Amino acid sequence: PDWHQGVIGILAARIREQTHRPTIAFAPDDDGVSLKGSARSIPGLHIRDALAVVDAKSPGLMKKFGGHAMAAGMTIARDDLEAFSKAFDEAVRDTLKPEDLEAAIITDGPLAPAELNLDTAYLLKRSGPWGQHFPEPLFDGEFKVVSQRIVGENHLKLVLQPAEGGGIIDAIAFNTGPEVPDYTRSGARVVYKPDANTFRGRTNLQLMVDYLEPLNLDGV
Protein backbone atom coordinates (compact mmCIF):
# COMPACT_ATOMS: atom_id res chain seq x y z
CA PRO A 1 0.00 0.00 0.00
CA ASP A 2 2.85 2.44 0.60
CA TRP A 3 4.74 1.79 -2.63
CA HIS A 4 5.13 4.67 -5.08
CA GLN A 5 3.47 4.56 -8.49
CA GLY A 6 6.88 4.99 -10.11
CA VAL A 7 8.09 1.50 -9.21
CA ILE A 8 5.06 -0.68 -9.93
CA GLY A 9 5.96 -1.11 -13.61
CA ILE A 10 9.34 -2.52 -12.63
CA LEU A 11 7.65 -4.75 -10.04
CA ALA A 12 5.14 -6.09 -12.58
CA ALA A 13 7.92 -6.81 -15.06
CA ARG A 14 9.99 -8.71 -12.47
CA ILE A 15 7.03 -10.84 -11.37
CA ARG A 16 6.13 -11.52 -15.01
CA GLU A 17 9.71 -12.66 -15.66
CA GLN A 18 9.73 -15.01 -12.66
CA THR A 19 6.27 -16.51 -13.14
CA HIS A 20 5.67 -16.20 -16.91
CA ARG A 21 2.19 -14.88 -16.21
CA PRO A 22 0.51 -11.59 -17.20
CA THR A 23 0.96 -9.35 -14.18
CA ILE A 24 -0.59 -6.13 -12.90
CA ALA A 25 0.83 -4.28 -9.90
CA PHE A 26 -1.17 -1.50 -8.21
CA ALA A 27 -0.26 1.45 -6.03
CA PRO A 28 -2.50 4.05 -4.36
CA ASP A 29 -3.33 7.12 -6.42
CA ASP A 30 -2.87 10.60 -4.97
CA ASP A 31 -6.62 11.01 -4.49
CA GLY A 32 -6.68 8.34 -1.77
CA VAL A 33 -9.63 6.44 -3.25
CA SER A 34 -8.15 5.06 -6.50
CA LEU A 35 -5.46 2.60 -7.50
CA LYS A 36 -3.16 3.01 -10.46
CA GLY A 37 -2.06 -0.21 -12.12
CA SER A 38 0.85 -1.10 -14.37
CA ALA A 39 0.52 -4.26 -16.47
CA ARG A 40 3.11 -6.43 -18.21
CA SER A 41 2.16 -9.28 -20.51
CA ILE A 42 3.59 -12.42 -22.10
CA PRO A 43 3.59 -13.50 -25.76
CA GLY A 44 0.13 -14.67 -26.72
CA LEU A 45 -1.78 -12.04 -24.76
CA HIS A 46 -2.31 -8.52 -26.10
CA ILE A 47 -2.69 -6.83 -22.74
CA ARG A 48 -4.56 -3.75 -23.97
CA ASP A 49 -7.03 -5.94 -25.84
CA ALA A 50 -7.59 -7.97 -22.66
CA LEU A 51 -8.36 -4.75 -20.78
CA ALA A 52 -10.77 -3.75 -23.55
CA VAL A 53 -12.62 -7.04 -23.00
CA VAL A 54 -12.85 -6.25 -19.28
CA ASP A 55 -14.16 -2.77 -20.08
CA ALA A 56 -16.76 -4.13 -22.51
CA LYS A 57 -18.07 -6.71 -20.03
CA SER A 58 -17.86 -4.46 -16.96
CA PRO A 59 -18.30 -0.85 -18.09
CA GLY A 60 -17.01 1.66 -15.58
CA LEU A 61 -14.90 -0.84 -13.66
CA MET A 62 -11.84 0.96 -14.97
CA LYS A 63 -11.89 4.73 -14.81
CA LYS A 64 -9.40 4.80 -17.66
CA PHE A 65 -6.92 2.48 -19.34
CA GLY A 66 -4.51 2.36 -22.25
CA GLY A 67 -1.40 0.69 -23.56
CA HIS A 68 -0.20 -1.76 -26.18
CA ALA A 69 0.52 -5.47 -26.63
CA MET A 70 3.02 -6.01 -23.86
CA ALA A 71 2.40 -3.17 -21.38
CA ALA A 72 -0.56 -1.13 -20.22
CA GLY A 73 -1.88 1.02 -17.42
CA MET A 74 -5.24 1.57 -15.77
CA THR A 75 -6.97 3.34 -12.90
CA ILE A 76 -9.62 1.66 -10.75
CA ALA A 77 -11.42 2.47 -7.52
CA ARG A 78 -9.68 0.96 -4.49
CA ASP A 79 -12.92 -0.81 -3.54
CA ASP A 80 -13.12 -2.44 -6.99
CA LEU A 81 -9.81 -4.31 -6.78
CA GLU A 82 -11.39 -7.72 -6.14
CA ALA A 83 -14.00 -7.28 -8.87
CA PHE A 84 -11.34 -6.12 -11.33
CA SER A 85 -9.07 -9.04 -10.44
CA LYS A 86 -11.85 -11.54 -11.20
CA ALA A 87 -12.80 -9.82 -14.46
CA PHE A 88 -9.19 -9.63 -15.63
CA ASP A 89 -8.52 -13.25 -14.70
CA GLU A 90 -11.56 -14.33 -16.71
CA ALA A 91 -10.48 -12.33 -19.76
CA VAL A 92 -6.98 -13.82 -19.60
CA ARG A 93 -8.22 -17.40 -19.19
CA ASP A 94 -10.52 -16.97 -22.19
CA THR A 95 -7.57 -15.85 -24.34
CA LEU A 96 -4.50 -17.84 -23.35
CA LYS A 97 -3.90 -21.46 -24.28
CA PRO A 98 -2.05 -23.84 -21.94
CA GLU A 99 1.03 -23.78 -24.16
CA ASP A 100 1.16 -19.97 -23.85
CA LEU A 101 1.90 -20.42 -20.16
CA GLU A 102 4.97 -22.56 -20.79
CA ALA A 103 8.08 -20.41 -20.49
CA ALA A 104 9.74 -21.70 -23.65
CA ILE A 105 12.62 -19.78 -25.20
CA ILE A 106 12.53 -19.82 -28.99
CA THR A 107 15.75 -18.76 -30.68
CA ASP A 108 17.12 -18.45 -34.20
CA GLY A 109 19.85 -20.93 -33.32
CA PRO A 110 23.57 -20.32 -32.91
CA LEU A 111 25.79 -17.80 -34.62
CA ALA A 112 29.14 -19.04 -35.91
CA PRO A 113 32.19 -17.51 -34.20
CA ALA A 114 32.92 -15.55 -37.38
CA GLU A 115 29.44 -13.98 -37.16
CA LEU A 116 29.93 -12.75 -33.61
CA ASN A 117 31.07 -9.26 -34.53
CA LEU A 118 29.95 -5.64 -34.73
CA ASP A 119 28.81 -6.01 -38.35
CA THR A 120 26.18 -8.51 -37.24
CA ALA A 121 25.07 -6.28 -34.36
CA TYR A 122 24.71 -3.27 -36.69
CA LEU A 123 22.86 -5.35 -39.30
CA LEU A 124 20.31 -6.49 -36.72
CA LYS A 125 19.89 -2.96 -35.37
CA ARG A 126 19.14 -1.66 -38.88
CA SER A 127 16.65 -4.46 -39.54
CA GLY A 128 14.05 -3.36 -36.96
CA PRO A 129 11.75 -2.17 -35.63
CA TRP A 130 10.74 -5.32 -33.79
CA GLY A 131 7.36 -5.97 -32.18
CA GLN A 132 4.83 -8.44 -30.81
CA HIS A 133 4.60 -10.59 -33.95
CA PHE A 134 8.02 -9.65 -35.34
CA PRO A 135 10.36 -10.32 -32.42
CA GLU A 136 13.98 -9.25 -32.34
CA PRO A 137 16.26 -12.16 -33.34
CA LEU A 138 17.48 -14.19 -30.40
CA PHE A 139 20.42 -16.60 -30.61
CA ASP A 140 21.86 -19.34 -28.41
CA GLY A 141 25.20 -21.04 -28.09
CA GLU A 142 27.66 -22.83 -25.84
CA PHE A 143 30.46 -20.74 -24.37
CA LYS A 144 33.45 -21.01 -22.11
CA VAL A 145 33.24 -18.37 -19.39
CA VAL A 146 36.60 -16.68 -19.10
CA SER A 147 35.51 -14.47 -16.20
CA GLN A 148 32.43 -13.24 -14.40
CA ARG A 149 31.63 -10.58 -11.82
CA ILE A 150 28.61 -8.84 -10.34
CA VAL A 151 28.25 -5.16 -11.24
CA GLY A 152 25.74 -2.72 -9.79
CA GLU A 153 24.76 -5.34 -7.17
CA ASN A 154 22.38 -7.28 -9.46
CA HIS A 155 23.91 -7.57 -12.93
CA LEU A 156 26.29 -10.28 -14.14
CA LYS A 157 29.17 -9.14 -16.34
CA LEU A 158 30.79 -11.94 -18.34
CA VAL A 159 33.70 -12.52 -20.68
CA LEU A 160 32.87 -15.39 -23.04
CA GLN A 161 34.58 -17.49 -25.67
CA PRO A 162 32.66 -19.75 -28.09
CA ALA A 163 33.07 -23.39 -27.06
CA GLU A 164 34.29 -24.31 -30.55
CA GLY A 165 36.93 -21.58 -30.46
CA GLY A 166 37.16 -17.94 -31.41
CA GLY A 167 37.79 -14.57 -29.84
CA ILE A 168 36.61 -13.42 -26.44
CA ILE A 169 33.36 -11.46 -26.18
CA ASP A 170 31.88 -9.23 -23.50
CA ALA A 171 28.37 -10.06 -22.28
CA ILE A 172 25.99 -8.83 -19.62
CA ALA A 173 22.93 -10.38 -17.95
CA PHE A 174 20.72 -7.89 -16.12
CA ASN A 175 18.90 -8.51 -12.83
CA THR A 176 20.45 -11.87 -12.03
CA GLY A 177 20.87 -10.97 -8.37
CA PRO A 178 24.16 -11.31 -6.49
CA GLU A 179 24.04 -15.12 -6.09
CA VAL A 180 24.87 -16.91 -9.35
CA PRO A 181 26.64 -20.19 -10.24
CA ASP A 182 30.34 -20.17 -11.00
CA TYR A 183 30.09 -20.43 -14.77
CA THR A 184 33.87 -20.34 -15.16
CA ARG A 185 33.90 -23.96 -13.93
CA SER A 186 31.18 -25.32 -16.17
CA GLY A 187 30.80 -23.03 -19.14
CA ALA A 188 27.33 -21.84 -20.07
CA ARG A 189 24.58 -22.19 -22.59
CA VAL A 190 23.68 -18.60 -23.38
CA VAL A 191 20.63 -17.08 -25.05
CA TYR A 192 21.58 -13.63 -26.30
CA LYS A 193 21.19 -10.66 -28.62
CA PRO A 194 24.31 -9.11 -30.21
CA ASP A 195 24.67 -5.42 -29.38
CA ALA A 196 27.12 -2.61 -30.07
CA ASN A 197 28.32 -1.18 -26.75
CA THR A 198 30.20 2.13 -26.61
CA PHE A 199 32.33 2.82 -23.53
CA ARG A 200 34.93 5.57 -23.17
CA GLY A 201 34.85 6.29 -26.88
CA ARG A 202 35.34 2.69 -28.00
CA THR A 203 32.61 0.49 -29.48
CA ASN A 204 32.78 -3.28 -29.03
CA LEU A 205 30.46 -6.23 -29.46
CA GLN A 206 28.51 -7.07 -26.33
CA LEU A 207 26.03 -9.91 -25.95
CA MET A 208 22.82 -8.95 -24.13
CA VAL A 209 22.01 -12.15 -22.24
CA ASP A 210 18.37 -13.17 -21.89
CA TYR A 211 19.06 -16.53 -20.26
CA LEU A 212 21.99 -18.72 -19.29
CA GLU A 213 22.50 -22.04 -17.57
CA PRO A 214 25.56 -24.06 -16.56
CA LEU A 215 27.04 -26.36 -19.19
CA ASN A 216 29.72 -28.97 -18.55
CA LEU A 217 32.06 -28.53 -21.47
CA ASP A 218 34.33 -31.37 -20.31
CA GLY A 219 31.51 -33.91 -20.49
CA VAL A 220 32.15 -35.08 -16.92
Side-chain angles (χ1 to χ4, degrees):
D2 57 351
W3 279 31
H4 190 272
Q5 297 169 17
V7 302
I8 57 175
I10 299 171
L11 175 63
R14 296 281 179 85
I15 296 173
R16 183 270 314 272
E17 290 169 6
Q18 292 180 13
T19 64
H20 195 68
R21 296 292 186 272
T23 302
I24 305 176
F26 287 95
D29 200 355
D30 296 333
D31 62 11
V33 296
S34 301
L35 297 175
K36 281 198 171 179
S38 186
R40 297 295 183 270
S41 194
I42 62 174
L45 179 74
H46 192 298
I47 194 72
R48 194 219 171 265
D49 287 355
L51 294 175
V53 170
V54 172
D55 189 57
K57 290 185 175 181
S58 304
L61 188 55
M62 290 181 290
K63 298 179 180 181
K64 57 182 178 180
F65 71 97
H68 51 82
M70 297 301 289
M74 75 292 299
T75 301
I76 66 172
R78 184 190 295 264
D79 293 341
D80 286 338
L81 178 59
E82 184 176 354
F84 173 81
S85 297
K86 290 180 179 179
F88 178 71
D89 185 71
E90 182 180 330
V92 170
R93 290 178 184 276
D94 287 345
T95 302
L96 288 177
K97 301 182 291 294
E99 55 266 30
D100 294 327
L101 299 175
E102 297 292 331
I105 300 175
I106 300 174
T107 79
D108 294 278
L111 287 174
E115 297 172 314
L116 288 166
N117 53 46
L118 279 173
D119 288 342
T120 299
Y122 287 136
L123 175 63
L124 293 170
K125 191 177 293 288
R126 293 194 302 268
S127 299
W130 315 106
Q132 170 81 338
H133 297 293
F134 189 50
E136 185 176 359
L138 194 62
F139 304 95
D140 72 272
E142 297 178 358
F143 293 87
K144 297 177 181 178
V145 179
V146 179
S147 66
Q148 67 179 66
R149 59 190 174 94
I150 297 295
V151 296
E153 297 185 1
N154 287 306
H155 313 311
L156 180 61
K157 184 73 173 174
L158 301 151
V159 176
L160 305 176
Q161 182 181 34
E164 63 266 46
I168 61 173
I169 307 161
D170 288 334
I172 189 164
F174 290 108
N175 301 314
T176 60
E179 301 295 329
V180 295
D182 183 359
Y183 294 105
T184 62
R185 289 171 162 272
S186 62
R189 179 179 299 280
V190 182
V191 177
Y192 62 88
K193 302 180 186 109
D195 185 54
N197 180 54
T198 300
F199 181 68
R200 293 180 179 174
R202 295 188 60 183
T203 301
N204 296 299
L205 175 69
Q206 178 175 257
L207 304 186
M208 308 297 290
V209 177
D210 277 27
Y211 173 81
L212 74 165
E213 64 183 10
L215 176 75
N216 195 322
L217 294 172
D218 294 328
V220 178

